[in-house]
Amino acid sequence: MSNVIMAIAVMLTLLFLTPLFYYTPLVVLSAIIISAMLGLIDYEAAIHLWNVDKFDFLVCIGAYAGVVFASVEVGLVIAVAISVVRLLLFVARPRTSVLGNLPDSTIYRNVEQYPNANHVHGVLILEIDAPIYFANSSYLRERISRWIDEEEDKLKATGKTSLQYVILDMTAVGNIDTSGISMLEELKKTTERRELKLVLANPGAEVMKKLNKSKFLENIGQEWIYLTVGEAVEACNFKLHTCKPEESQPWNNV
């Protein structure tokens, strides 16, 4: 209701009170505009944006510069354009991270966020933190391949157990398109050429539906899809201590 009352007050002013301002000097009108403009500048909010999110600060400065040096429309266009670019960057380059096991638990978290998380020998656990679409499928395939290369080089340098399993935590993957499914198929072929086994953990209902329709589930095997990362790691550890991936028998998870 406050907006309605304000709109009515502005309408009445424009219709009936504007003649009263006809003889007001331009200097006075300019002072009113400058005073109102200064009141709109919030330095503390801008500093807060800079400290919290540099990209939000860039949107703020872009909109401010557009309004001050051009017009309100230009400022809005600049702010929307920068926001769209940010959205496209987030979609095209989603976050991927290596997960490790927190001590004395079955919880797996980002090793960069939790330095005390332990790597599982012979198993690389990767988390994909976004839906898989045509815009990011190529990036994800290359990023996962780099993670595998880095992990294999690290294990060779330390002389520990060679990498044999790659687990993809798909908890945050809310959807997937045909390009994303093709990426998983190519990734499976790549891991098989390297004598590695690809394992999926906690794919959502929509993702499972599309993987089933595309026959990818038959391709990878139901025994390599698990409800949680913990269950997937337990199955991989069992196989790791009993037989090699290419010689393993089906592991039917409940």
Side-chain angles (χ1 to χ4, degrees):
M1 288 303 298
S2 62
N3 291 330
V4 174
I5 295 174
M6 181 178 63
I8 294 174
V10 172
M11 181 182 67
L12 294 176
T13 302
L14 294 175
L15 290 176
F16 304 108
L17 299 181
T18 49
L20 300 178
F21 300 100
Y22 182 78
Y23 297 102
T24 303
L26 293 180
V27 175
V28 175
L29 293 177
S30 302
I32 295 174
I33 294 174
I34 293 174
S35 177
M37 186 71 179
L38 293 176
L40 295 176
I41 300 176
D42 191 345
Y43 296 101
E44 294 182 357
I47 295 174
H48 176 73
L49 289 177
W50 173 262
N51 293 330
V52 175
D53 193 325
K54 302 296 189 298
F55 219 112
D56 283 344
F57 177 80
L58 180 61
V59 174
C60 173
I61 293 301
Y64 174 78
V67 171
V68 171
F69 297 105
S71 64
V72 175
E73 291 80 6
V74 173
L76 289 175
V77 169
I78 292 175
V80 172
I82 297 176
S83 299
V84 170
V85 171
R86 179 186 190 182
L87 179 61
L88 292 176
L89 288 176
F90 284 168
V91 171
R93 292 180 173 269
R95 289 190 308 168
T96 57
S97 55
V98 177
L99 303 184
N101 177 237
L102 296 181
D104 301 322
S105 73
T106 58
I107 300 174
Y108 292 82
R109 292 293 183 267
N110 188 344
V111 295
E112 294 183 357
Q113 184 178 359
Y114 297 89
N116 62 330
N118 299 318
H119 291 271
V120 181
H121 297 305
V123 181
L124 175 62
I125 310 171
L126 299 176
E127 180 184 36
I128 301 176
D129 197 15
I132 305 176
Y133 295 117
F134 71 95
N136 60 24
S137 58
S138 297
Y139 169 79
L140 285 174
R141 182 179 62 253
E142 296 173 0
R143 189 69 187 95
I144 293 173
S145 298
R146 288 201 301 270
W147 279 121
I148 295 174
D149 292 337
E150 293 174 3
E151 185 68 14
E152 287 184 333
D153 293 340
K154 186 187 302 181
L155 291 176
K156 289 179 181 178
T158 57
K160 295 181 179 179
T161 306
S162 61
L163 182 63
Q164 297 192 25
Y165 296 94
V166 178
I167 300 176
L168 295 184
D169 182 9
M170 304 183 68
T171 303
V173 180
N175 207 336
I176 189 172
D177 65 359
T178 54
S179 297
I181 296 174
S182 298
M183 183 274 291
L184 292 178
E185 293 173 347
E186 294 178 10
L187 183 61
K188 181 179 182 298
K189 294 178 182 178
T190 302
T191 53
E192 288 178 347
R193 285 196 298 267
R194 297 186 176 194
E195 297 184 352
L196 305 175
K197 194 65 184 180
L198 181 64
V199 184
L200 303 184
N202 195 26
E206 187 67 23
V207 175
M208 284 291 290
K209 184 190 303 181
K210 293 185 178 181
L211 293 180
N212 184 41
K213 290 182 178 180
S214 65
K215 307 299 182 182
F216 180 78
L217 294 183
E218 297 179 6
N219 185 17
I220 192 174
Q222 292 280 356
E223 66 273 14
W224 295 109
I225 300 177
Y226 293 89
L227 182 62
T228 64
V229 175
E231 291 181 359
V233 172
E234 289 180 6
C236 292
N237 280 332
F238 174 80
K239 292 177 179 294
L240 196 61
H241 291 88
T242 55
C243 53
K244 295 181 180 179
E246 58 271 17
E247 301 173 352
S248 62
Q249 300 300 321
W251 173 271
N252 295 322
N253 55 317
V254 180

